[in-house]
Structures are given as structure tokens and as C-alpha cells.
Amino acid sequence: MNTLSKFSLSLLAVSTLVACGGNKPADTAMADTTAQTGEARNLVIATEANYPPFNKLNADGKIVGFDVDVIHAVCNEIKANCEVVSQDWDGLLPGLLTNKYDAVIAGISITPERQAQVDFSEPYFSNTIVWISKTDGSFDPNHIKNQILGSQRSTTGADYITQRYDGKDGNRVQLHGTYAESYSDLKLGRNHAVMAEKVSAMDWLKQGNDGFGLVGDEINNNDNLGIAVRKGDTLKSDFDKALITLKANGKLAELEKQHFGDTATLASVDSTEQVVTEPTNTAKTK
């Protein structure tokens, strides 16, 4: 999003890695997560900064997005000072396990494979996946043959189309490092359709990409996003309590509305839409 195996590394193997650099400053050390008497904790939180509208760099080079606002709201609840740094997607969990930062919030799906390596907070968002293609009828999601299908590798969308279509009925799956690259190939005619998270797809469509749209049913594949911390870290309990408060007081819903409008939540998925329940162990929600 193939580098799927990077997320299935054993804890022992990960400990020997030099985490990918991304955009994170080389001299940033793991923050002291021990609360000091009368002082706020200092936490370093990593995100991808290349997955709008969840996380991205703005024109000033500042990391912004839904994930960033959620983690700042969480940190405010637990009275912690949080620095958000950027890291390439493939280096996020390895970096967490090698103590480069204290937690990761980057649209990461909670999967059994990842839960074997790290702990996750309670879900802060639920995704669905969709097809995006030209709206001229050239792509029929109910009869997919001889098509090039795109997605970001190590995502639930990539997992979905690879399992079902790659090498079957003349279809070929083409995976990229980011959704932006998949969308670019779609616009250039290098693939026929992209499978992506609905929020990501809707964000791209809003950028003036006329002639393209969502095609077929929205798919609920039970994709829940959580904040990742190291195994046994008490931050999980703190994050859980904060998220419960943010859900109860409406702050989380307010942030969803701010970043996603009315297109975000699974409440919009009705009984006529396809539901996929098998695990996607290697996926991102990405």
C-alpha cells in the first residue's frame, strides 16, 4: 500500500530493524511517558501525514487532519503535551516497537495480526470501502473482468481486491505506496478502478475530479480504527477513557463533521449494501 509482510514481522524481528525515516526528525527521542507530579506528560505521536483527510501536510508543512485533531483532543483529556511527527506508512509500527515514539494514530485498522504485536485503544472511527472509477459505465463492479484494479498496498481495500480479483478473469491488481498514486493512475487511465476507504475517496472527488465517482455498493468490512501503543503500555487505558469521554460529550462527532461532512460514518450503510465479515489481517484501514 508488495510490503504486507512488514506488518507481520515478529516482535523479535522488528526489534532489529532501523525504523524508516519518513519525515520524522532524526533526533526525536521517545518521550518520557511517566507522569510527573504536577506536570503534564510529554508524548510523541506518529502519523503518516499522507492520507487525507485523516492526516496530511498543509501548505505550511504542518501536519493536519482528523487523526491529528483526535489525538490532540485525547491528549487534552489526559493532560499530556503531545508532539505529532510524520513517518512513512511502512515504518509506523516498527518505529513504535523500537521506541521512536509513544503511540501511532494513522487510520490504522484494528486486526488480529496487529493486536498480536501492539495494543489498540477503543475504536475512534469506523471505515467502509468503495469502488471509485469513471462514471461513464465503463466499469461494472458486478462484472469485473479484464480490469486493472488499483489501491494502496497494506490497506483493507488492497486486501479485498487482491483476494478476490488478482489473476482471476483476466484482472490485475496494481498497488501503490499511497492512495494519491492510485488516484493519479486512475485519472491517467492506467487503471480502471480504485478500491479505497469511502472518506479518502470522497476527499479526492471533492478536488474537482469531474467524470469520476463512487460506483456500486458501499462495503462494510468491519474496519475499525484505533490508536496503537506498545504491549502493556498504560497509555491504552488513558486513551480509552479519553475516547469514551469524547464520544459522550459529542467532541468526536464534531470532529467527524468538520473533516468528513455527512459522508463518514457507518450509520449511512443500510441493509441493501454488501457486508464482508472475513478478517483482513494484513490490512491498514488502511
Side-chain angles (χ1 to χ4, degrees):
M1 106 156 357
N2 178 324
T3 60
L4 296 178
S5 61
K6 290 188 178 181
F7 284 106
S8 59
L9 291 172
S10 67
L11 179 59
L12 178 62
V14 169
S15 67
T16 66
L17 290 177
V18 176
C20 300
N23 296 314
K24 185 180 183 296
D27 60 351
T28 300
M30 182 188 72
D32 178 9
T33 61
T34 303
Q36 303 296 321
T37 303
E39 296 181 3
R41 287 174 292 179
N42 296 311
L43 303 176
V44 178
I45 313 294
T47 193
E48 184 183 11
N50 199 19
Y51 180 44
F54 287 92
N55 49 74
K56 64 179 181 179
L57 294 177
N58 66 11
D60 297 324
K62 183 180 179 181
I63 306 171
V64 297
F66 176 66
D67 284 340
V68 180
D69 285 350
V70 168
I71 198 61
H72 282 312
V74 166
C75 289
N76 184 62
E77 285 294 325
I78 67 174
K79 296 178 172 54
N81 298 316
C82 291
E83 176 191 5
V84 180
V85 299
S86 63
Q87 169 70 62
D88 290 344
W89 170 252
D90 290 338
L92 282 168
L93 292 190
L96 176 64
L97 294 174
T98 53
N99 297 336
K100 287 184 70 176
Y101 24 78
D102 301 293
V104 175
I105 183 167
I108 298 181
S109 301
I110 302 171
T111 67
E113 183 182 57
R114 290 181 183 145
Q115 287 176 309
Q117 300 180 57
V118 300
D119 284 341
F120 282 97
S121 70
E122 290 294 309
Y124 66 90
F125 188 74
S126 295
N127 258 322
T128 59
I129 49 178
V130 294
W131 286 112
I132 182 172
S133 72
K134 288 184 177 180
T135 53
D136 59 4
S138 58
F139 176 76
D140 182 353
N142 297 311
H143 300 90
I144 301 177
K145 292 184 178 182
N146 302 313
Q147 303 287 292
I148 301 174
L149 309 173
S151 191
Q152 180 177 353
R153 63 175 175 262
S154 300
T155 66
T156 52
D159 195 49
Y160 182 92
I161 61 176
T162 298
Q163 290 182 12
R164 287 164 177 75
Y165 303 111
D166 196 24
K168 302 173 184 177
D169 296 322
N171 298 307
R172 178 167 65 89
V173 169
Q174 177 179 275
L175 303 179
H176 292 98
T178 66
Y179 275 122
E181 294 170 352
S182 293
Y183 298 146
S184 177
D185 269 12
L186 176 63
K187 200 165 185 176
L188 293 171
R190 294 173 180 165
N191 63 46
H192 300 100
V194 172
M195 174 63 78
E197 285 77 44
K198 180 182 177 183
V199 170
S200 172
M202 293 297 292
D203 184 74
W204 183 76
L205 290 172
K206 291 176 182 177
Q207 310 307 314
N209 294 298
D210 297 335
F212 297 89
L214 304 187
V215 179
D217 290 338
E218 183 175 347
I219 300 167
N220 173 7
N221 61 338
N222 295 321
D223 180 17
N224 296 304
L225 313 187
I227 306 168
V229 299
R230 285 180 291 277
K231 279 286 186 181
D233 196 321
T234 57
L235 278 175
K236 170 180 163 48
S237 176
D238 294 339
F239 288 167
D240 285 346
K241 292 175 183 176
L243 287 169
I244 290 171
T245 298
L246 294 173
K247 291 174 184 178
N249 66 18
K251 179 62 176 180
L252 200 57
E254 177 186 322
L255 292 176
E256 288 184 10
K257 181 75 172 179
Q258 174 186 333
H259 289 278
F260 309 139
D262 297 320
T263 64
T265 65
L266 290 176
S268 64
V269 181
D270 62 40
S271 60
T272 65
E273 293 170 326
Q274 184 176 1
V275 177
V276 181
T277 57
E278 73 274 14
T280 53
N281 291 344
T282 59
K284 188 183 184 176
T285 67
K286 219 169 165 190

